[in-house]
Amino acid sequence: MFNNNIKIQKKWNGKIPYLTEILPEIPTNTILYKKLTGLGATYGELKAQRHSIIIEPNKPVISGKCTDPKHCNDNLFGVFEGVHSDDIVKYLERSAKQGNYFKILTTPESFLKVKDAFEEIEIDIRNSCFLLFDECHKIIKDVNYRADISLPMDFFFQCRYKALVSATPIEFTDPRFEEQDFHSITIVPDFNCTKEINLHTTNNLLQTTKQVLNEMKDADTPFFLFCNSTDTIHALMQQLGVLNESAVFCSDKSVKKLNKRGFCNVDDVWKPTLMQRYNWLTSRFYNAVDIELAEQPIVLLLTDCYFAEYTTFDPHTDAIQCVGRFRNGVSSIHHIANTNHNFAIRSRDELKGYIDCSEAIYNQLDSLYQYSTTPAARDAYREAMECVPFAKFLNSDRTKNYFYIDNYVNDALVHGFYNNPETLCYAYAEEYTVKHTPYNYAIGD
């Protein structure tokens, strides 16, 4: 897979041009590494003179696009939980009758409904639509707890017109990319776009968050706090005494959880009308959602490696994406995190060696299983195969799932960053100018 670099320069007025100004259409069999958030890759595809199906990571992104005035004449149709194949069929028939291009945005989990609707009206997606997987790094980031996010990929590779896009790419190892001659296009900024981040490492997340917020209490701008745990968010709101000044944006399941606890200013879709002084967002709002504000907010990323290790932020993807939600920029960025020396530091080569060894062990057991002569022996080898670490990288038909493997490697690398403050600083220094402030409180505080 070869890479083609395209430079992008700022306009005379200092603004960054839309992607369509330097790349009118995304070519097929392309992985677009746009490097900068907000370049308008999805915008360009929604305006393109062709039928498009865009796979978005979750519902808030789709809801935001479908209600955006910029697309009021683009015939957009969102598909997620609660939208059925019959609804999609009616949209397709209406669009065909009116001579409009199909512009469907769907979650990965709802893609099957789109496919069924096209089959019902006897239109072959594979030869008639451009299939774009937006924020494609999420396939790797989320597949360990959200297996269905990779479901459209088998069909994706059957399509004639297709591409993937992300501002924060993670390398895919699936051999089908090579087999189908995919190439990458990297948008290279011809200007300095490095941001400053204030990294606050601590052994007391609550106290440090309280101190950092107190230092900025006079700021005339809202706070946006990203944390991938509604339990942690609710606890912090209570301990900080900001329940009445807060809004939370999270999954529908977490909305119900917070409602049961008596907190009602919460929604599963970003709504400016709900915005408060303190706005808390879980991981479904890290990517693709456009938050357009007149002011430049203060952004805080919160990580607790001990009680909620899934609140870690990847400096190369998550942190960049969170900051990129704000189309008018941000006034400052802060990451408050504890570290855990039990998180192992392993190189990519070490992780690859572990996977290769696990696969060799699995294949040896499989060979013994195939040549077993008694039912008892076959049962024993089959159960042993299910216990081998490599088994978690396989599909139900025992074929290798490269997205699971990529996820394992990425997760292990990110966890290694949080082994100690120095490794986390080093990881951030590859993308940001880092201002590090350690906070160490006496044990028992």
Side-chain angles (χ1 to χ4, degrees):
M1 184 167 66
F2 68 89
N3 181 47
N4 179 30
N5 291 338
I6 300 177
K7 286 189 176 182
I8 184 171
Q9 297 178 327
K10 287 186 177 180
K11 296 180 180 180
W12 62 270
N13 58 3
K15 291 188 176 182
I16 299 172
Y18 268 108
L19 180 66
T20 49
E21 297 178 53
I22 57 173
L23 188 69
E25 280 192 352
I26 301 173
T28 191
N29 284 24
T30 296
I31 304 176
L32 177 62
Y33 296 162
K34 60 180 184 174
K35 291 296 184 180
L36 299 169
T37 57
L39 271 186
T42 309
Y43 172 88
E45 188 55 41
L46 292 174
K47 297 291 185 180
Q49 301 297 296
R50 60 188 178 191
H51 298 305
S52 308
I53 299 173
I54 302 175
I55 302 172
E56 294 287 1
N58 48 46
K59 177 184 173 181
V61 185
I62 297 171
S63 298
K65 301 290 184 189
C66 290
T67 56
D68 191 330
K70 293 194 293 286
H71 296 297
C72 61
N73 297 317
D74 292 333
N75 195 39
L76 271 56
F77 188 79
V79 182
F80 37 78
E81 187 177 3
V83 179
H84 306 288
S85 291
D86 289 346
D87 302 317
I88 306 168
V89 168
K90 291 175 184 176
Y91 162 80
L92 294 173
E93 291 176 338
R94 183 175 65 251
S95 299
K97 186 177 180 180
Q98 295 171 347
N100 293 326
Y101 288 109
F102 305 141
K103 296 293 177 181
I104 295 176
L105 298 102
T106 179
T107 60
E109 291 84 353
S110 289
F111 179 76
L112 182 60
K113 293 184 286 190
V114 177
K115 181 172 171 286
D116 289 344
F118 271 85
E119 289 176 354
E120 186 172 333
I121 63 171
E122 298 182 344
I123 296 179
D124 188 356
I125 292 175
R126 288 166 290 198
N127 294 306
S128 60
C129 296
F130 191 90
L131 188 57
L132 179 66
F133 208 121
D134 192 22
E135 306 295 355
C136 63
H137 64 280
K138 294 289 284 180
I139 306 172
I140 294 173
K141 296 291 290 186
D142 292 2
V143 73
N144 62 328
Y145 69 91
R146 185 184 170 192
D148 288 351
I149 194 170
S150 65
L151 277 180
M153 290 307 294
D154 287 338
F155 186 82
F156 175 87
F157 284 107
Q158 298 174 26
C159 293
R160 182 178 179 184
Y161 309 107
K162 57 190 179 293
L164 305 100
V165 62
S166 174
T168 53
I170 301 172
E171 184 180 354
F172 292 104
T173 60
D174 193 313
R176 289 176 290 186
F177 288 105
E178 291 283 353
E179 292 164 3
Q180 295 197 14
D181 295 323
F182 266 75
H183 63 281
S184 63
I185 297 177
T186 302
I187 307 300
V188 182
D190 197 20
F191 52 89
N192 182 17
C193 55
T194 304
K195 293 181 172 65
E196 180 179 275
I197 189 166
N198 299 279
L199 178 61
H200 311 276
T201 54
T202 181
N203 61 351
N204 189 324
L205 181 68
L206 169 63
Q207 190 60 35
T208 303
T209 303
K210 184 182 294 185
Q211 185 167 335
V212 170
L213 288 175
N214 187 58
E215 290 171 0
M216 298 182 289
K217 64 182 178 181
D218 296 327
D220 187 23
T221 187
F223 293 90
F224 279 77
L225 304 98
F226 291 85
C227 180
N228 195 30
S229 166
T230 46
D231 290 331
T232 302
I233 288 172
H234 191 250
L236 285 171
M237 288 192 298
Q238 287 181 313
Q239 295 295 326
L240 295 170
V242 297
L243 276 169
N244 294 329
E245 301 176 80
S246 292
V248 178
F249 302 93
C250 54
S251 69
D252 181 60
K253 182 178 178 181
S254 293
V255 168
K256 294 173 182 174
K257 179 198 291 188
L258 290 175
N259 285 162
K260 287 181 179 178
R261 296 178 182 178
F263 186 82
C264 298
N265 197 31
V266 55
D267 209 297
D268 67 338
V269 175
W270 159 250
K271 293 178 180 176
T273 52
L274 292 181
M275 192 174 74
Q276 296 286 328
R277 172 72 166 160
Y278 302 97
N279 303 279
W280 307 76
L281 304 95
T282 60
S283 63
R284 68 194 271 115
F285 295 90
Y286 290 5
N287 303 266
V289 178
D290 295 339
I291 301 178
E292 299 187 15
L293 306 173
E295 59 269 84
Q296 294 184 324
I298 296 168
V299 172
L300 284 81
L301 315 176
L302 306 178
T303 295
D304 189 335
C305 292
Y306 291 90
F307 294 103
E309 66 177 61
Y310 46 86
T311 58
T312 56
F313 290 84
D314 183 344
H316 306 305
T317 57
D318 301 322
I320 295 170
Q321 289 287 346
C322 289
V323 175
R325 297 310 94 226
F326 304 95
R327 296 316 191 204
N328 193 34
V330 300
S331 59
S332 62
I333 311 163
H334 304 261
H335 186 182
I336 303 171
N338 52 28
T339 55
N340 188 338
H341 68 273
N342 291 316
F343 286 0
I345 301 175
R346 290 181 287 176
S347 69
R348 192 176 294 274
D349 286 341
E350 287 174 321
L351 292 165
K352 184 179 182 301
Y354 168 82
I355 293 167
D356 289 344
C357 183
S358 297
E359 183 175 14
I361 294 169
Y362 182 89
N363 289 338
Q364 285 183 331
L365 289 171
D366 185 43
S367 180
L368 292 168
Y369 169 80
Q370 298 294 339
Y371 289 100
S372 298
T373 56
T374 66
R378 290 177 68 85
D379 287 344
Y381 284 124
R382 184 179 62 252
E383 290 179 14
M385 288 164 63
E386 291 172 355
C387 297
V388 172
F390 191 73
K392 63 177 175 280
F393 303 135
L394 301 177
N395 296 308
S396 57
D397 60 359
R398 294 172 62 195
T399 56
K400 193 186 299 187
N401 188 314
Y402 290 90
F403 302 116
Y404 288 156
I405 295 173
D406 294 343
N407 169 270
Y408 174 81
V409 172
N410 182 257
D411 266 9
L413 292 173
V414 172
H415 275 70
F417 298 154
Y418 288 82
N419 176 273
N420 61 75
E422 289 70 31
T423 52
L424 187 54
C425 280
Y426 183 79
Y428 264 116
E430 296 181 38
E431 304 286 348
Y432 290 88
T433 299
V434 183
K435 181 181 177 182
H436 178 218
T437 306
Y439 293 79
N440 291 300
Y441 300 92
I443 293 175
D445 281 1

